[in-house]
């Protein structure tokens, strides 16, 4: 079911699905796809789901007037996607566990959510032969990265 899929299209679809939520939260989403970014070898609907899951979290943990940037660029034989926000960030003690099923950071426990979005994202990215990880500084925001092979 994998096919050649343009990174920009998948990103734009994900942003479109969450645009209203972002607007309500007063959050600006910027898309930055490298002009020479090749197509991904992907199941586009599955990768859109990954982008939606990560973007949804970014919106949830970013304050009003915040910014989120979604980007894609070639990195060797992969495409590197990233979703960067200037939100609450993730405590260092939680960072290695956020992709576990049902794991929630203390800040997330009070909120809604199943604790499955990132676990599902990890499963989908790995099914594409890619990797997913996050970098974060508490109070300064987070960046989620994932790679998928180029077509």
């Amino acid at each position: 079911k994998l096919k050649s899929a343009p990174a920009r299209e998948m990103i734009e679809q994900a942003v479109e699905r969450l645009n209203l939520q972002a607007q309500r939260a007063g959050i600006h989403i910027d898309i930055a796809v490298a002009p020479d970014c090749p197509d991904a070898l992907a199941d586009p609907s599955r990768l859109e789901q990954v982008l939606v899951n990560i973007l949804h979290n970014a919106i949830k943990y970013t304050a009003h007037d915040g910014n989120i940037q979604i980007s894609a660029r070639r990195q060797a034989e992969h495409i590197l996607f990233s979703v960067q926000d200037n939100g609450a960030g993730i405590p260092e003690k939680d960072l290695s566990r956020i992709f576990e099923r049902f794991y929630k950071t203390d800040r997330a426990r009070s909120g809604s959510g199943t604790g499955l979005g990132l676990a599902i994202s990890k499963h989908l990215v790995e099914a594409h032969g890619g990797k997913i990880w996050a970098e974060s500084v508490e109070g300064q925001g987070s960046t989620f990265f994932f790679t998928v092979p180029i077509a």
Side-chain angles (χ1 to χ4, degrees):
K1 208 157 120 170
L2 298 182
K3 61 180 193 180
S4 183
R8 177 174 286 281
E9 260 174 45
M10 291 184 287
I11 289 173
E12 285 173 351
Q13 291 288 328
V15 169
E16 201 173 296
R17 280 174 59 184
L18 291 172
N19 217 3
L20 197 61
Q21 193 179 339
Q23 284 173 352
R24 275 195 212 114
I27 292 167
H28 177 74
I29 300 174
D30 185 41
I31 297 173
V33 177
D36 61 347
C37 186
D39 285 1
L41 182 61
D43 176 336
S45 64
R46 297 273 187 246
L47 271 197
E48 273 170 41
Q49 186 60 54
V50 172
L51 288 160
V52 164
N53 288 349
I54 295 171
L55 187 56
H56 179 263
N57 282 352
I59 293 168
K60 193 156 89 171
Y61 296 111
T62 299
H64 194 78
D65 283 341
N67 288 296
I68 297 171
Q69 184 182 59
I70 305 186
S71 61
R73 63 180 170 84
R74 182 176 190 150
Q75 188 182 60
E77 295 309 299
H78 288 85
I79 294 175
L80 175 67
F81 288 85
S82 67
V83 178
Q84 181 175 19
D85 67 59
N86 62 351
I90 301 162
E92 198 174 340
K93 67 178 175 55
D94 293 318
L95 204 52
S96 64
R97 301 193 59 199
I98 56 173
F99 295 101
E100 293 174 16
R101 290 176 62 186
F102 307 116
Y103 188 81
K104 295 183 176 189
T105 63
D106 291 337
R107 200 178 294 112
R109 282 186 210 285
S110 57
S112 61
T114 58
L116 285 171
L118 291 177
I120 291 166
S121 296
K122 180 177 198 247
H123 173 77
L124 292 173
V125 167
E126 289 177 351
H128 279 81
K131 290 188 180 76
I132 188 168
W133 70 97
E135 294 172 4
S136 184
V137 177
E138 200 170 357
Q140 292 178 35
S142 306
T143 307
F144 281 78
F145 301 92
F146 68 92
T147 60
V148 291
I150 61 172

